[in-house]
Amino acid sequence: MITKSPLFCLLLIIIFYTRISECILINHTPSPSPQHLLRTSPKSNGHNSTTELLELTLPIPSNGPNCSITLLSHDFANTVGSPPTTVPFSPPSDACPDLLQWTRAVLLFSASSAGDQYDRIAAVWLGGVELLRTSTAEPTESGVRWTVRKDVTRYASLFTGPPANLSVMLENIVNDVYTGVYSVNISLVLYEDEKSRVSEAADLVIPISESDGDGGSWFRISGSETRAKAVELPRNAYKAVLEIYASPHSDDEFWYSNPPDEYIEANGLLTGRGGGAFREIVATVDGAVVGSVVPFPVVYTGGIVPLFWSAVVGIGAFDVPSYELDLTPFVGSIADGGAHAFGLGVTDAEPYWLVDANLHVWLDQGSSVVEAKVTEYRAPYVSIDLETEFAGLDGKFEIEAERRLVFAGWANSSVLGNVTTIVQHKFKFKSKIKIDREGNHKQTKMEHKSETRIRVKTGSGKSVSMMKRTRSYPLTIETETLPESDKTRYLSRTNLSHAMLASHKRSSSVMGRSLVASISNEQVSDGWMRVEDHSVLEGAATTRQSLRYVGEEVGDCYYREVSATDEGEIVRDYSSEACVFAY
């Protein structure tokens, strides 16, 4: 344990968005140390009932007959260093005899806790395949509860396959100081409805993770290391998509605000939160790059200003986003009858990242071998430009990064015929960090834009299908600190705005037209805290969020707007399916 002075803690909190508790525990792994700061319970909202927290997401269609299956009920107390909690899972045919043919599967992850506790990372695996990455809410004395609903229809082959293990990892610690136990209930709800895409699900989903069996696990990644797993694919594979789950922790939890190492060294700051403010998750096969993504900057419920997340959590905090890479151009080289090393790494990662992946594979049931070949491979190194200027604690740091990838390959299957798949991916990333007023004021601005185009064409060049997907993650954080006469106290004020903006456009020779959909999820928070030593004495905060969705079909729209306070109250909650609000 490393104990720091109040002045040093102040510098860490402002310059690195360090959790105040980490002034005592620089490593964010769970610790029983009594010297800590957890968010004090919010002001009374007039009653002692449990607060229900929410994350704004699109509602999942749930029409038609349904059947619910309880998968796990467990209290996570002293679980640090323990293996995942595991229970057997059997196909739902016996549990749902009256459901003739389910067409949609929804995973429900419900949790509750009361007392003092940090937010924790958690995951759910089935047969080693990750279904959900999530983080917990920080509880209060009167208690908190929440439910995550996730459409898991894309994993349909797991629910109809042979018996497997369902595993849940949630490392927690409970003692006289950390009193919050997380009570978790997980269920699977199967529906019969008309909007399902269960027929589009992969025939096979293979885990790319630390585990060798069907239990749950993830790679723990730091530095420039790449973690890999050898996988042998069936020779009749004609399509493959890699789905990546990743979450940053400890020194890289706020990677988007990290200054370069030279700034840390020049100022003699004892922190590992360096490496600059750019991270890229890179996927490889046998050491060759096959795709990359810049991760969305998820803020957990204990992050930046915990008071922001008393009723509405940060974007992606309860349902951490996964990222897709289309590997279909590589089918000829990865489904050749041999084992291949599927690797995952994070550019300039500080300790540590938890990363794993699921390889979704589509099989040609009418053939034992699909002939295929890679025809184009362009994967230049990522371009990174860094400008650094500082004097003492004040300085400016700018990063610009970009990458362009192009892959193509053909596959001759009885499903699609002889077609060539061309994948083009590019992104541009910009980050600006400014620290002034002798380290008491910090501004962080991040912009990320990516575009992926996937085209499928016949041997004669005729277009079969086209898809364009865009993503944008704008982020702005500004924090100012005012030291008080008592050197153990200070007042800080923070403004945060971030968003996840996405769109896709697809067309095919069968549809004869283009279909377009877009989603905008924007969040703005503002608040202040007065801190003494390692305790929050008082504070106030508000969070406003809007979610807009325009679907592919005419009239398929959704809009929701929510405003919340640090008291755990939602003061405004408006939703509509009228398209006039969604645009």
Side-chain angles (χ1 to χ4, degrees):
M1 182 176 69
I2 304 175
T3 304
K4 303 299 178 187
S5 68
L7 177 60
F8 184 85
C9 286
L10 180 60
L11 294 176
L12 286 183
I13 292 164
I14 299 307
I15 297 175
F16 303 98
Y17 298 132
T18 305
R19 295 166 181 264
I20 303 172
S21 55
E22 290 180 63
C23 292
I24 296 298
L25 303 171
I26 298 302
N27 191 327
H28 185 228
T29 52
S31 169
S33 170
Q35 293 182 306
H36 72 290
L37 174 70
L38 298 176
R39 181 188 62 165
T40 55
S41 295
K43 297 183 286 290
S44 173
N45 55 12
H47 52 78
N48 293 320
S49 62
T50 301
T51 300
E52 182 172 9
L53 285 85
L54 63 89
E55 176 182 347
L56 260 62
T57 58
L58 287 179
I60 300 173
S62 55
N63 300 321
N66 67 81
C67 176
S68 179
I69 308 166
T70 300
L71 304 181
L72 176 141
S73 294
H74 188 78
D75 292 337
F76 289 87
N78 292 297
T79 52
V80 173
S82 301
T85 298
T86 301
V87 295
F89 172 87
S90 298
S93 54
D94 293 339
C96 301
D98 297 330
L99 202 64
L100 299 179
Q101 185 176 2
W102 62 269
T103 55
R104 185 182 300 275
V106 177
L107 187 74
L108 299 184
F109 181 102
S110 299
S112 62
S113 184
D116 287 329
Q117 194 55 265
Y118 288 111
D119 56 348
R120 306 297 191 189
I121 198 70
V124 180
W125 293 270
L126 180 59
V129 172
E130 183 163 355
L131 306 181
L132 171 71
R133 180 75 59 94
T134 185
S135 65
T136 66
E138 288 196 339
T140 62
E141 289 184 6
S142 58
V144 295
R145 58 187 172 89
W146 69 97
T147 296
V148 184
R149 296 172 176 84
K150 181 174 182 180
D151 191 326
V152 291
T153 309
R154 68 181 307 177
Y155 307 104
S157 63
L158 299 176
F159 307 136
T160 57
N165 284 329
L166 181 92
S167 301
V168 181
M169 176 73 87
L170 197 167
E171 290 192 276
N172 192 28
I173 190 167
V174 172
N175 55 25
D176 293 340
V177 177
Y178 301 85
T179 58
V181 175
Y182 287 107
S183 299
V184 174
N185 293 281
I186 300 175
S187 58
L188 181 68
V189 184
L190 303 177
Y191 294 93
E192 288 184 31
D193 62 40
E194 298 178 354
K195 294 185 178 182
S196 169
R197 292 181 176 174
V198 66
S199 60
E200 300 178 10
D203 300 293
L204 183 65
V205 187
I206 303 172
I208 310 295
S209 66
E210 186 74 30
S211 177
D212 292 327
D214 69 348
S217 186
W218 36 38
F219 294 124
R220 186 177 175 121
I221 294 178
S222 300
S224 59
E225 66 178 331
T226 296
R227 304 294 299 277
K229 182 176 182 179
V231 174
E232 181 177 339
L233 298 185
R235 298 210 61 187
N236 61 336
Y238 69 92
K239 178 181 178 180
V241 172
L242 189 69
E243 178 192 22
I244 300 173
Y245 284 91
S247 54
H249 306 279
S250 191
D251 289 339
D252 243 12
E253 179 176 345
F254 309 106
W255 59 269
Y256 42 83
S257 71
N258 283 13
D261 292 336
E262 58 185 289
Y263 171 84
I264 296 173
E265 295 169 359
N267 284 284
L269 300 174
L270 301 179
T271 177
R273 294 180 180 271
F278 170 70
R279 299 293 181 269
E280 179 189 23
I281 304 168
V282 181
T284 60
V285 175
D286 297 331
V289 173
V290 295
S292 73
V293 294
V294 173
F296 177 77
V298 175
V299 182
Y300 309 129
T301 60
I304 311 295
V305 176
L307 299 178
F308 287 164
W309 323 120
S310 299
V312 178
V313 302
I315 300 170
F318 282 165
D319 187 359
V320 178
S322 60
Y323 311 92
E324 289 187 6
L325 303 177
D326 196 321
L327 304 189
T328 303
F330 300 99
V331 164
S333 59
I334 63 178
D336 59 356
H340 296 274
F342 287 77
L344 298 167
V346 182
T347 302
D348 295 328
E350 298 293 341
Y352 55 91
W353 286 71
L354 298 176
V355 184
D356 64 10
N358 304 323
L359 184 59
H360 298 251
V361 183
W362 286 257
L363 304 177
D364 184 354
Q365 305 298 341
S367 176
S368 59
V369 177
V370 170
E371 293 184 2
K373 184 179 180 179
V374 179
T375 59
E376 185 175 8
Y377 179 86
R378 283 188 280 163
Y381 289 110
V382 61
S383 171
I384 304 176
D385 293 324
L386 172 63
E387 293 185 10
T388 298
E389 178 185 346
F390 66 91
L393 292 173
D394 293 348
K396 296 187 297 182
F397 316 102
E398 297 187 10
I399 294 178
E400 292 190 8
E402 63 179 303
R403 189 198 280 269
R404 292 174 179 263
L405 303 172
V406 180
F407 309 120
W410 60 264
N412 190 1
S413 69
S414 65
V415 181
L416 299 176
N418 192 340
V419 297
T420 296
T421 301
I422 304 166
V423 176
Q424 299 172 302
H425 176 74
K426 63 180 180 180
F427 73 75
K428 288 188 176 182
F429 175 93
K430 292 183 180 181
S431 170
K432 295 182 180 181
I433 297 174
K434 182 179 179 181
I435 304 171
D436 55 16
R437 304 174 195 173
E438 298 183 347
N440 288 313
H441 181 253
K442 180 177 181 178
Q443 293 176 299
T444 298
K445 290 187 177 181
M446 188 196 90
E447 295 181 13
H448 166 71
K449 295 181 179 180
S450 67
E451 178 183 290
T452 301
R453 293 176 180 262
I454 302 174
R455 182 188 177 196
V456 180
K457 64 179 184 178
T458 65
S460 63
K462 182 180 179 181
S463 179
V464 176
S465 65
M466 175 78 76
M467 190 278 292
K468 175 184 175 182
R469 182 173 61 232
T470 65
R471 297 287 186 273
S472 179
Y473 318 146
L475 169 71
T476 301
I477 307 172
E478 182 174 7
T479 297
E480 181 178 13
T481 294
L482 302 174
E484 300 189 348
S485 56
D486 185 339
K487 293 184 179 181
T488 65
R489 290 188 180 188
Y490 64 88
L491 179 73
S492 72
R493 186 175 188 91
T494 299
N495 303 98
L496 179 151
S497 67
H498 64 153
M500 177 181 283
L501 313 174
S503 70
H504 78 257
K505 178 180 180 180
R506 64 189 181 101
S507 63
S508 72
S509 56
V510 176
M511 290 188 297
R513 63 189 178 100
S514 296
L515 298 177
V516 180
S518 64
I519 186 169
S520 170
N521 196 350
E522 302 178 66
Q523 198 168 50
V524 177
S525 300
D526 177 80
W528 63 272
M529 297 185 301
R530 174 169 279 109
V531 178
E532 181 176 21
D533 289 331
H534 312 298
S535 299
V536 177
L537 301 180
E538 58 181 334
T542 60
T543 293
R544 302 181 304 279
Q545 186 170 1
S546 62
L547 176 67
R548 294 176 172 86
Y549 171 76
V550 179
E552 293 180 337
E553 302 298 330
V554 176
D556 182 14
C557 298
Y558 180 76
Y559 174 78
R560 188 175 181 184
E561 180 182 337
V562 170
S563 297
T565 72
D566 61 284
E567 298 179 4
E569 291 186 1
I570 294 179
V571 295
R572 174 177 169 79
D573 189 351
Y574 175 80
S575 63
S576 174
E577 294 184 1
C579 289
V580 65
F581 293 101
Y583 284 99

